[in-house]
Amino acid sequence: SFPTRRSSDLARRPFGALEVSVTARRDEAMIKLDDGRRLPAAHVNWTAPAAAGRVRSGAGVDVRRLLPPFEVVTMLHSARAWERHHGPVDLYTDQDGYRWLTHWGLEDLYRAIDLNVLASVDHKLYDPSTYYTLGKVFALAASNTALTWLDTDLYLHRPIENLGGEVFVVAHREAVGNVVYPTRDRLPDPNGIVEDGWDFRRSAANTALAYFGSAVHRDAFVRSCLAFAARNHTPIEGYDPRPAFAEQRVSVFEAASLGVPVRCVVDTVWDPAAREWDPVPTDAAFHHTWREKKRLARNPVAARAYLQQEVICFISRFPDDADRISRLAERGLFDSICDAADVYSWVDQAGALR
């Protein structure tokens, strides 16, 4: 069943001239589109996975550092670009995530902020250390409207064509039959959720961007995904394929079972074993930091260069946010990578490009 929440939970948040109603009831549309726009997207900042790791290590939670500095810039870019091309962006987060957001003065980025959905998650039933992206599924379960998942490290360069209708749109396909997407016999499934009709030769989907246009597909995916993940978190040796399976394979299997078309924003396949594209993508529909995060975390020189690239790109496209980036630099958001003076100079460079 879907997660339950208090039916009385209701928040109204005015953002500028736009007033939005957010309800935590599953049987109502979570977001009433008071401005008439059709295609909302959702960012999800579920801090429970990071918090669980920090608690185990004894480090505690630092609400100032929940995202790496460069991802704060891509998060801003992600919300602004989606709003420009398709419509409003809402945020699902928890109390730590909200404290982080307000600490840096970023709450006005979103049309609405939901603190109820992720607060209702039973961590004993759904282990956040294992299923670190499952917060997106709970956000999807709470919506009765067509919704697009949008990762905070992905932003659009252009509008997505043919977005709308009862289809399932994903970023791109991914090759299977490898350690990330293994065969059925190598997948822990103690709940017996995997169906005989699911074809494991079918490509997986990268759901860093994922539009769920069919309510039937959405609900079938949520049910199967959560049923698979429930208490299925016994530690295993080596790479754990369960998180990717729950999100990026179950969604495709359910679409195929229901006859819901699956479309890709970029028609290419990423092979996680070979670490290469087939074919190499030529359509720069979006930017996705994705697998570069690990390298950037280990390499401060690369992280600084990447931050410079992203600040300049963002401000050149959205100059009204120049003061915001400068204020964040002044308050020390980027201090782990560079000096505030560096950021000021990059903002000036972006201005010169306009």
Side-chain angles (χ1 to χ4, degrees):
S1 62
F2 290 110
T4 59
R5 294 173 295 283
R6 300 187 303 276
S7 61
S8 60
D9 287 334
L10 184 67
R12 298 185 68 86
R13 298 181 57 86
F15 286 166
L18 175 63
E19 188 178 60
V20 179
S21 300
V22 180
T23 178
R25 293 182 62 180
R26 179 63 182 88
D27 58 347
E28 294 180 12
M30 195 206 83
I31 297 170
K32 298 176 182 177
L33 298 181
D34 298 326
D35 61 344
R37 286 184 289 186
R38 293 181 54 249
L39 294 174
H43 279 169
V44 177
N45 186 4
W46 190 30
T47 69
R54 292 189 180 105
V55 169
R56 284 198 303 271
S57 67
V61 179
D62 182 356
V63 298
R64 298 170 301 171
R65 306 295 180 189
L66 290 180
L67 289 180
F70 53 79
E71 190 162 348
V72 179
V73 179
T74 59
M75 182 189 80
L76 290 164
H77 202 158
S78 177
R80 292 292 192 231
W82 186 269
E83 186 176 34
R84 171 179 288 179
H85 295 308
H86 293 294
V89 180
D90 304 302
L91 174 68
Y92 291 81
T93 190
D94 46 35
Q95 290 294 336
D96 281 341
Y98 187 69
R99 282 196 291 270
W100 173 85
L101 198 74
T102 56
H103 175 81
W104 295 110
L106 300 174
E107 62 269 29
D108 66 328
L109 184 65
Y110 296 103
R111 182 187 63 165
I113 298 171
D114 184 286
L115 301 180
N116 298 314
V117 169
L118 298 183
S120 73
V121 178
D122 182 345
H123 294 179
K124 292 182 179 179
L125 186 61
Y126 303 108
D127 176 36
S129 297
T130 303
Y131 300 96
Y132 46 87
T133 64
L134 203 62
K136 297 198 298 184
V137 180
F138 288 106
L140 186 65
S143 175
N144 272 347
T145 63
L147 184 70
T148 299
W149 282 346
L150 196 61
D151 282 5
T152 53
D153 65 339
L154 184 149
Y155 57 81
L156 299 182
H157 288 302
R158 60 162 176 79
I160 304 302
E161 298 174 359
N162 301 318
L163 196 62
E166 295 192 357
V167 297
F168 180 40
V169 179
V170 299
H172 55 79
R173 291 169 292 158
E174 300 203 355
V176 300
N178 48 59
V179 68
V180 178
Y181 303 110
T183 53
R184 177 176 180 173
D185 60 300
R186 295 182 177 274
L187 180 74
D189 180 30
N191 300 326
I193 300 304
V194 175
E195 298 182 7
D196 291 338
W198 288 359
D199 185 355
F200 274 68
R201 296 167 299 179
R202 191 180 298 275
S203 296
N206 184 292
T207 54
L209 185 157
Y211 166 77
F212 293 84
S214 164
V216 175
H217 171 235
R218 175 199 63 208
D219 290 349
F221 162 57
V222 168
R223 282 193 296 267
S224 294
C225 175
L226 295 184
F228 173 82
R231 295 192 176 90
N232 181 8
H233 50 249
T234 301
I236 63 176
E237 294 185 7
Y239 186 89
D240 190 346
R242 291 174 294 187
F245 177 83
E247 180 181 330
Q248 303 197 146
R249 301 214 72 182
V250 173
S251 57
V252 174
F253 290 149
E254 290 292 5
S257 297
L258 294 166
V260 173
V262 180
R263 299 175 182 169
C264 298
V265 177
V266 179
D267 189 17
T268 186
V269 179
W270 169 253
D271 187 334
R275 294 184 175 274
E276 62 184 22
W277 296 96
D278 182 22
V280 175
T282 58
D283 178 9
F286 57 79
H287 171 92
H288 188 196
T289 311
W290 189 23
R291 55 196 175 85
E292 287 295 298
K293 289 182 183 178
K294 290 184 178 180
R295 182 180 70 89
L296 296 173
R298 296 191 300 263
N299 187 330
V301 174
R304 184 185 182 279
Y306 186 76
L307 178 62
Q308 177 181 7
Q309 166 191 299
E310 292 309 308
V311 167
I312 292 174
C313 181
F314 174 51
I315 299 304
S316 64
R317 295 185 70 195
F318 299 94
D320 288 347
D321 280 291
D323 288 344
R324 182 193 293 271
I325 292 294
S326 295
R327 286 196 303 270
L328 291 172
E330 182 179 7
R331 295 188 57 203
L333 175 65
F334 307 112
D335 284 357
S336 62
I337 292 181
C338 64
D339 295 331
D342 296 325
V343 179
Y344 301 152
S345 70
W346 301 336
V347 169
D348 290 341
Q349 289 178 47
L353 293 175
R354 296 196 301 272

